[in-house]
């Protein structure tokens, strides 16, 4: 007896939006905190660190939108199996 596949089960546009928002916010926070750690040794201001985080988040957003086209349309992942 084979078990039915539940790949994509219960995924909606709202699920995709939450997934993408989580990835964008997480990327911003990771990049911003990383840049803040480097502000003293590399003489970078807090606003430049925030800009670095913003650029990383924007790239994450673009990747997530591209994933809707090239990956699973209900996931912000490029992998079609996610």
């Amino acid at each position: 007896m084979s078990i039915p596949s539940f790949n994509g089960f219960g995924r909606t546009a709202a699920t995709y939006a939450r997934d993408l928002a989580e990835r964008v916010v997480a990327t911003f926070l990771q990049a911003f905190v990383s840049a803040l750690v480097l502000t003293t040794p590399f003489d970078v201001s807090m606003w430049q660190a925030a800009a670095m985080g913003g650029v990383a988040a924007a790239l994450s957003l673009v990747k997530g939108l591209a994933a809707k086209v090239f990956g699973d349309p209900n996931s912000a992942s490029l992998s079609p199996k996610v």
Side-chain angles (χ1 to χ4, degrees), residues 6-23 63-82:
F6 289 103
N7 188 21
F9 178 73
R11 292 189 183 164
T12 63
T15 303
Y16 170 79
R18 278 193 309 273
D19 185 22
L20 182 58
E22 176 186 335
R23 291 169 191 251
K63 181 257 181 198
L65 294 174
K68 188 161 182 72
V69 175
F70 297 109
D72 183 342
N74 293 319
S75 171
S77 174
L78 283 171
S79 173
K81 301 288 183 188
V82 175

Side-chain angles (χ1 to χ4, degrees), residues 12-64:
T12 63
T15 303
Y16 170 79
R18 278 193 309 273
D19 185 22
L20 182 58
E22 176 186 335
R23 291 169 191 251
V24 170
V25 170
T27 299
F28 171 77
L29 291 174
Q30 291 165 351
F32 181 58
V33 170
S34 298
L36 279 178
V37 169
L38 299 175
T39 56
T40 302
F42 293 105
D43 194 31
V44 176
S45 76
M46 185 194 67
W47 294 111
Q48 288 171 322
M52 289 180 214
V55 169
L59 292 174
S60 177
L61 176 65
V62 169
K63 181 257 181 198

